[in-house]
Amino acid sequence: MFLAVEIGDWDRFTGASIGAYLGLTPTEHSSGSSRRLGPITKAGNPHIRLLLAEAAWHHRPGYRVGTTLQARFDAATPAQAARGHEGNLRLHRRWVHFTTQHKRTTIANTAIARELAGWCWSLATTR
């Protein structure tokens, strides 16, 4: 809900630009053929970034549909429930991928938060 209030018009973004707007993309120092990526830019609303980072941590443990989530899936249309379920599975699979690649958890969490922002954008702009 907070994302919808803070962002307002989702149509002004693309799936790639929402991460940059929220400051979840790395800084870049490039010259000629050399390209170096630094820490995230931290542009945009810090509260949204914090909420996305906190939500990303929840996708780290194994994903199981509990009674509360099952009740929400039952209240949604089958297409919405399937999309929500697949999105949660995808974010958990990304955590597993980063863990097997021995990425630092804070860096992995930022990448998951950026992907979560893109997923929220896709949900908000789907007609």
Side-chain angles (χ1 to χ4, degrees), residues 11 18 20 27-28 33 43 67 82 86 108 120:
D11 292 324
I18 189 77
T27 57
E28 184 174 337
S33 63
T67 56
E86 184 55 40
C120 290

Side-chain angles (χ1 to χ4, degrees), residues 49-62 91-92 95 99 103-113 116:
R49 234 182 358 268
L50 175 71
L51 290 175
L52 286 170
E54 287 297 321
W57 284 116
H58 290 282
H59 289 88
R60 188 175 184 196
L91 292 173
H92 175 67
W95 262 112
T99 302
K103 293 287 185 186
R104 287 189 310 195
T105 56
T106 53
I107 291 174
N109 189 58
T110 302
I112 301 294
L116 181 58

Side-chain angles (χ1 to χ4, degrees), residues 34-45:
S34 105
R35 180 179 178 210
R36 287 210 229 133
L37 298 177
I40 61 171
T41 60
K42 295 185 180 176
N45 190 321

Side-chain angles (χ1 to χ4, degrees), residues 49-123:
R49 234 182 358 268
L50 175 71
L51 290 175
L52 286 170
E54 287 297 321
W57 284 116
H58 290 282
H59 289 88
R60 188 175 184 196
Y63 172 68
R64 286 178 287 287
V65 178
T67 56
T68 304
L69 189 56
Q70 186 60 52
R72 291 177 185 165
F73 281 163
D74 292 341
T77 66
Q80 290 170 332
R83 184 147 182 204
H85 180 67
E86 184 55 40
N88 286 324
L89 286 175
R90 176 183 167 82
L91 292 173
H92 175 67
R93 282 192 308 261
R94 294 292 292 159
W95 262 112
V96 171
H97 171 75
F98 287 132
T99 302
T100 58
Q101 296 295 315
H102 304 289
K103 293 287 185 186
R104 287 189 310 195
T105 56
T106 53
I107 291 174
N109 189 58
T110 302
I112 301 294
R114 182 173 50 247
E115 192 159 334
L116 181 58
W119 185 47
C120 290
W121 169 84
S122 73
L123 292 173

